[in-house]
mmCIF file of all heavy atoms in Angstrom:
data_model
loop_
_atom_site.group_PDB
_atom_site.id
_atom_site.type_symbol
_atom_site.label_atom_id
_atom_site.label_comp_id
_atom_site.label_asym_id
_atom_site.label_seq_id
_atom_site.Cartn_x
_atom_site.Cartn_y
_atom_site.Cartn_z
ATOM 1 N N TRP B 51 123.125 -60.467 -33.480
ATOM 2 C CA TRP B 51 124.496 -60.727 -33.763
ATOM 3 C C TRP B 51 124.730 -62.167 -34.297
ATOM 4 O O TRP B 51 125.202 -62.475 -35.213
ATOM 5 C CB TRP B 51 125.444 -60.628 -32.480
ATOM 6 C CG TRP B 51 125.427 -59.156 -32.034
ATOM 7 C CD1 TRP B 51 126.118 -58.171 -32.602
ATOM 8 C CD2 TRP B 51 124.540 -58.508 -31.156
ATOM 9 N NE1 TRP B 51 125.876 -57.006 -32.035
ATOM 10 C CE2 TRP B 51 124.809 -57.175 -31.017
ATOM 11 C CE3 TRP B 51 123.460 -59.004 -30.306
ATOM 12 C CZ2 TRP B 51 124.223 -56.227 -30.229
ATOM 13 C CZ3 TRP B 51 122.842 -58.083 -29.410
ATOM 14 C CH2 TRP B 51 123.119 -56.793 -29.428
ATOM 15 N N HIS B 52 124.128 -63.147 -33.478
ATOM 16 C CA HIS B 52 124.146 -64.620 -33.931
ATOM 17 C C HIS B 52 123.499 -64.799 -35.334
ATOM 18 O O HIS B 52 123.841 -65.551 -36.149
ATOM 19 C CB HIS B 52 123.491 -65.561 -32.953
ATOM 20 C CG HIS B 52 124.274 -65.692 -31.703
ATOM 21 N ND1 HIS B 52 124.419 -64.876 -30.720
ATOM 22 C CD2 HIS B 52 125.258 -66.766 -31.439
ATOM 23 C CE1 HIS B 52 125.228 -65.355 -29.637
ATOM 24 N NE2 HIS B 52 125.761 -66.463 -30.194
ATOM 25 N N ALA B 53 122.270 -64.078 -35.383
ATOM 26 C CA ALA B 53 121.605 -64.120 -36.754
ATOM 27 C C ALA B 53 122.529 -63.602 -37.907
ATOM 28 O O ALA B 53 122.532 -64.299 -38.933
ATOM 29 C CB ALA B 53 120.298 -63.278 -36.742
ATOM 30 N N ALA B 54 123.344 -62.610 -37.642
ATOM 31 C CA ALA B 54 124.152 -62.051 -38.855
ATOM 32 C C ALA B 54 125.213 -63.049 -39.192
ATOM 33 O O ALA B 54 125.674 -63.145 -40.237
ATOM 34 C CB ALA B 54 124.838 -60.721 -38.335
ATOM 35 N N ALA B 55 125.538 -63.835 -38.177
ATOM 36 C CA ALA B 55 126.670 -64.830 -38.384
ATOM 37 C C ALA B 55 126.188 -66.175 -39.006
ATOM 38 O O ALA B 55 126.726 -66.765 -39.922
ATOM 39 C CB ALA B 55 127.429 -65.125 -37.153
ATOM 40 N N LEU B 56 124.953 -66.538 -38.609
ATOM 41 C CA LEU B 56 124.587 -68.018 -38.686
ATOM 42 C C LEU B 56 123.222 -68.241 -39.479
ATOM 43 O O LEU B 56 122.714 -69.338 -39.781
ATOM 44 C CB LEU B 56 124.430 -68.637 -37.364
ATOM 45 C CG LEU B 56 125.729 -68.778 -36.680
ATOM 46 C CD1 LEU B 56 125.526 -69.340 -35.153
ATOM 47 C CD2 LEU B 56 126.673 -69.856 -37.334
ATOM 48 N N SER B 57 122.663 -67.077 -39.902
ATOM 49 C CA SER B 57 121.349 -67.359 -40.697
ATOM 50 C C SER B 57 121.663 -67.931 -42.103
ATOM 51 O O SER B 57 120.801 -68.658 -42.713
ATOM 52 C CB SER B 57 120.474 -66.101 -40.701
ATOM 53 O OG SER B 57 121.281 -64.963 -41.053
ATOM 54 N N ASP B 58 122.786 -67.477 -42.756
ATOM 55 C CA ASP B 58 123.081 -68.059 -44.035
ATOM 56 C C ASP B 58 124.360 -68.896 -43.842
ATOM 57 O O ASP B 58 125.402 -68.435 -43.554
ATOM 58 C CB ASP B 58 123.364 -66.997 -45.044
ATOM 59 C CG ASP B 58 123.759 -67.397 -46.356
ATOM 60 O OD1 ASP B 58 123.840 -68.781 -46.597
ATOM 61 O OD2 ASP B 58 124.135 -66.752 -47.312
ATOM 62 N N LEU B 59 124.193 -70.297 -44.084
ATOM 63 C CA LEU B 59 125.259 -71.129 -43.788
ATOM 64 C C LEU B 59 126.010 -71.609 -45.025
ATOM 65 O O LEU B 59 126.884 -72.366 -45.056
ATOM 66 C CB LEU B 59 124.720 -72.364 -43.098
ATOM 67 C CG LEU B 59 124.065 -72.088 -41.675
ATOM 68 C CD1 LEU B 59 123.453 -73.461 -41.231
ATOM 69 C CD2 LEU B 59 124.980 -71.535 -40.826
ATOM 70 N N THR B 60 125.761 -70.785 -46.170
ATOM 71 C CA THR B 60 126.392 -71.209 -47.389
ATOM 72 C C THR B 60 127.893 -71.266 -47.401
ATOM 73 O O THR B 60 128.440 -72.317 -47.858
ATOM 74 C CB THR B 60 126.100 -70.149 -48.535
ATOM 75 O OG1 THR B 60 124.662 -69.925 -48.526
ATOM 76 C CG2 THR B 60 126.391 -70.567 -49.869
ATOM 77 N N ALA B 61 128.453 -70.264 -46.726
ATOM 78 C CA ALA B 61 129.812 -70.172 -46.690
ATOM 79 C C ALA B 61 130.498 -70.567 -45.200
ATOM 80 O O ALA B 61 131.521 -69.931 -44.824
ATOM 81 C CB ALA B 61 130.370 -68.798 -47.109
ATOM 82 N N VAL B 62 129.705 -71.372 -44.540
ATOM 83 C CA VAL B 62 130.092 -71.758 -43.274
ATOM 84 C C VAL B 62 130.625 -73.201 -43.136
ATOM 85 O O VAL B 62 129.840 -74.037 -43.660
ATOM 86 C CB VAL B 62 128.965 -71.532 -42.295
ATOM 87 C CG1 VAL B 62 129.340 -71.873 -40.878
ATOM 88 C CG2 VAL B 62 128.681 -69.846 -42.169
#
Side-chain angles (χ1 to χ4, degrees):
Chain B
W51 296 279
H52 286 84
L56 294 168
S57 45
D58 177 4
L59 300 178
T60 313
V62 171

